[in-house]
Amino acid sequence: MFRRPVLQVLHKFVRHESEIVSSLVLERSLNRVQLLGRVGQDPVMRQVEGKNPVTIFSLATNEMWKSGDNEAYQLGDVSQKTTWHRISVFRPGLRDVAYQYVKKGSRIFVEGKVDYGEYMDKNNVRRQATTIIADNIIFLSDQTKEKA
C-alpha cells in the first residue's frame, strides 16, 4: 500500500525531470545540399596564412521548363536557367583529389552544406558570399570522354 504512492510520486518527478531535460536539449536541424552539374572552371587551391588550404571551383546547374500551354513538344517551347555555385573543399583528402581530378566541363555530383559569409572587397565594401562546403564529390564523367 505504501509502495504505490511512492512510485506514483517518483513517476511524476521523473516525467517532470525528463520534460525539463528535453527542453534543454537543442533540436536537430539539417543543412544539406546535393548538386548535379558541370564544372565551370578548373579548381584553384588557396591558402590564407595560418589556415588550412581550400580547393575552390564553380559548378553550373540547369533548370529547364516548358513555356506556354502547348501540349506538343517543340524545341522553341523549352526555357532554361543556369545557376552558378561556388564550391569549397576543406577536407584534406577530398580537397587534394578535387584539385587534381576536377576539370572544367566534368559532370560531377556534390554533397555538402550551404555557408553564408561576408567579406570586404578591394574598395572596402562589405559583400556577401554563398558557398557550398563540399564533403563528398562523385565523378560522373570527364569532358574528354564525352567528346570522343
Side-chain angles (χ1 to χ4, degrees), residues 62-111:
N62 294 316
E63 183 180 349
M64 298 175 76
W65 65 93
K66 281 191 349 181
S67 51
D69 294 331
N70 192 354
E71 290 292 323
Y73 174 78
Q74 296 177 2
L75 189 58
D77 293 342
V78 177
S79 297
Q80 178 176 321
K81 176 187 173 192
T82 301
T83 304
W84 289 95
H85 309 274
R86 177 185 169 101
I87 311 295
S88 297
V89 188
F90 290 95
R91 261 186 43 207
L94 186 60
R95 173 187 63 218
D96 300 332
V97 167
Y99 181 69
Q100 186 174 0
Y101 294 107
V102 170
K103 300 293 179 215
K104 179 178 179 176
S106 296
R107 187 167 164 83
I108 63 172
F109 177 78
V110 175
E111 289 181 297

Side-chain angles (χ1 to χ4, degrees), residues 14 28 50 54 72 74:
V14 170
R28 301 197 102 180
V54 58
Q74 296 177 2

